[in-house]
Amino acid sequence: LPERERAELKRRKLLLEVTLKSFWIRKGSAFSTAVARPETELTPDMIATGSWRQLPFKPYNFSSLGLPPACGHLHPLLKVRSELRQIFLEMG
């Protein structure tokens, strides 16, 4: 369609433009039907026998943040106040 007619149909909401994406999937060089889990730990037995040379290992993620440190405590006076409040609430 010419640009002018297409704009007119869009304005009247009679035309809807859709973008289609397609992908081609092919078997790669490392394709396998069996799922092999990579090793995550190196044990002393692997080192002694030398079997670690043939095993695939999971790569390390050095950019991960890890667990946030546990920090922060209640002030002792606030802790006492909350305990007293709980006692009075239980008493009615």
Side-chain angles (χ1 to χ4, degrees):
L1 288 173
E3 183 63 35
R4 189 169 169 227
E5 289 181 24
R6 187 171 31 182
E8 179 64 28
L9 290 174
K10 266 189 183 179
R11 187 181 62 78
R12 295 171 55 193
K13 299 188 188 224
L14 296 174
L15 180 68
L16 177 66
E17 287 191 37
V18 178
T19 303
L20 296 176
K21 293 182 182 182
S22 62
F23 299 95
W24 292 95
I25 301 174
R26 288 182 242 160
K27 293 180 184 178
S29 60
F31 176 78
S32 174
T33 56
V35 176
R37 294 189 55 124
E39 292 289 328
T40 56
E41 294 183 13
L42 183 63
T43 62
D45 294 334
M46 289 179 187
I47 295 172
T49 60
S51 64
W52 63 272
R53 292 184 179 102
Q54 290 84 25
L55 295 174
F57 283 92
K58 184 177 177 180
Y60 286 109
N61 183 4
F62 292 107
S63 63
S64 66
L65 298 176
L67 296 174
C71 60
H73 300 282
L74 281 178
H75 191 274
L77 291 177
L78 288 176
K79 195 181 289 188
V80 170
R81 187 171 74 181
S82 66
E83 289 176 9
L84 288 174
R85 180 179 289 152
Q86 187 62 34
I87 291 170
F88 287 131
L89 285 173
E90 289 173 1
M91 288 173 47

